[in-house]
Each structure stands twice: as C-alpha cells, then as structure tokens.
Amino acid sequence: MRSRRTHLLAVTGAALAALALTACNDGTGTKDDGASRPSSTASSATATGGKGTGTSASGDTAGAGSSSGSSGSAKGSSASTGSGSSGSGSSGSSSSGSSSSGRSSSGGSSSGGSSDASDPKNRVLCNGSNTRVTAQPVSRPLNHMLITVRNTGSKYCDLTYFPVLRFDEMQWAPQADEKTHPQAVTTLAPGESGYAAVLLSSADGSGEGGMTGHRLTVGFQGTTPNSSGGASAIPSLPAKGVYYDSSLKVTYWQQNQSDIAGW
C-alpha cells in the first residue's frame, strides 16, 4: 500500500511538474509570440515605410514631372509669348511695308507727275493729244485771231517756239514776230492755258494773194526749231471761213493773253 502511494505520488508529482513546465513554455511562447508580433509589426511598418518611401518617391517623381510639365508649360508660354512678339514684329513690318506701299503709290504719281514743274519726269511737250485747241477771230485788233491751248493732260506741258499754221492745203507756214519771243518757255500746268495771236491780213490792204481758209491745222514744235512736237490739232473755224493774205504772221506762245493783247 505504501509502495503504491509512493508510486502514485511520484506519478502525480511528475504530472504536475510536466504541467508546470508546459505552462512555463506556453508563457514563454506567448511572450515570444508577443515579441515576434511587434517585430513583425515593425517589419511590416518598415515595409510599409518602404512603401511609403516608394510612394513618396513616386510622389517626388510625379512632382518632378509636374514641375517639368509646369516648366514645359512655362517654356510653352514663353514660346507663345515669343511668337506673339514675332507676330507683332511681323505685323509691324507689314505696316511698314504698307506705308512703303503707300509711299510707292504716292510714287505712282510718277504716272501722273509730281507737283514740281522742274522735274523732267513731270514735263512733256504740248501737242494735239494732250491739249484742247481753239481758234477764235477777234474784232480788236482788226484782222486778228486768238489761238488758245488748254492743257488737258496730267503733267506739265511745254509750248515751245510758236504755232505752225496751215490753212487748207497751203504749202507754206507763217513766220513768228521775233519781238514777241518770251524770256522763258511757256509751261502749262494741268488745266492751264497758253496763247498765240495771228495777224490774218494787213489792215491797209498791202498784203497779196488773199483767200479764205475753211480748215486750220495747228502744229507744235519740238525741242528744236521746226522739229515735230507731236500730234497736230484741227480747231473749228467759223462757218464762213477765215480770210488771210501774204501778211499772215503769228506770235510766240505766251503764258498770259495780256502779253499779246495789243500786238
């Protein structure tokens, strides 16, 4: 009996010791588990921190991208502004060009002539194509006729020397009275008129070969005496015609009608 008790107690003691050991192992294990969890958590946190860093890196990259984008946009804006400036410059050039075109159109006055009468490009010879010519007999002085030439062109025209007159088919032309030679060439601005007087016949009847003319041709001289100055003019005459004789004579072209009024 005692032996059994002793054996039972020994068995019981061993069981208790095993239980105590197991409890101790469980506690340590629990503590180990608890320690491992924070460690795992820390690792997890580290990993998360890594991810966070990665995210942050990504964020930085994105930021850098945005910055680059902004920079690009800024450059784009600058480029756009630059283009705008260039556009303005081009526009300015166009304006200058137009102004030049304008000054060139004013240069187009070369076709119509400038306002300077001394400009050779603005002067031509008066002739039948750029003037209107009239021939009108006058009562005073007796047996005289007045020839008027009006400049209908767009440039100044010069009336050189004296008119070359021919009635009908006459083969000669009257000479000019040298006393009427002007000091300068008669120049007509557009719209202005020049004048010449014609002595048709002598008042005392000393002239010879008198006849009546029904058609008058007025010729213009060139830059030298008796040279052609261009187209002739054929002014109208009174229906009854104009009587003339060998006394037929003309004056030089005059700027003012008053200069030959008493001739």
Side-chain angles (χ1 to χ4, degrees), residues 30-219:
T30 303
K31 287 181 183 179
D32 291 342
D33 290 341
S36 65
R37 285 195 192 98
S39 175
S40 173
T41 303
S43 299
S44 189
T46 302
T48 305
K51 290 179 182 178
T53 303
T55 304
S56 177
S58 301
D60 290 343
T61 302
S66 300
S67 177
S68 300
S70 300
S71 177
S73 300
K75 289 178 181 177
S77 300
S78 297
S80 176
T81 305
S83 299
S85 299
S86 296
S88 301
S90 298
S91 179
S93 298
S94 294
S95 291
S96 299
S98 298
S99 206
S100 286
S101 317
R103 288 189 292 272
S104 256
S105 95
S106 130
S109 64
S110 60
S111 61
S114 67
S115 59
D116 185 4
S118 64
D119 183 359
K121 295 181 180 178
N122 188 39
R123 294 176 68 146
V124 296
L125 290 174
C126 299
N127 58 54
S129 65
N130 57 19
T131 61
R132 181 176 180 272
V133 181
T134 60
Q136 182 64 46
V138 295
S139 58
R140 293 184 180 180
L142 188 65
N143 303 332
H144 280 67
M145 182 171 68
L146 178 68
I147 297 178
T148 303
V149 176
R150 182 175 180 272
N151 183 358
T152 58
S154 59
K155 296 184 178 184
Y156 286 85
C157 76
D158 293 329
L159 282 170
T160 55
Y161 304 104
F162 51 88
V164 179
L165 305 183
R166 282 191 172 86
F167 284 101
D168 299 322
E169 301 300 325
M170 63 185 289
Q171 300 300 309
W172 59 282
Q175 293 303 301
D177 184 349
E178 290 298 326
K179 292 184 296 187
T180 63
H181 198 303
Q183 294 182 349
V185 173
T186 298
T187 300
L188 307 180
E192 288 187 339
S193 297
Y195 309 89
V198 181
L199 172 62
L200 296 170
S201 62
S202 63
D204 59 5
S206 60
E208 300 176 353
M211 63 179 63
T212 300
H214 295 279
R215 184 176 184 270
L216 174 64
T217 299
V218 178

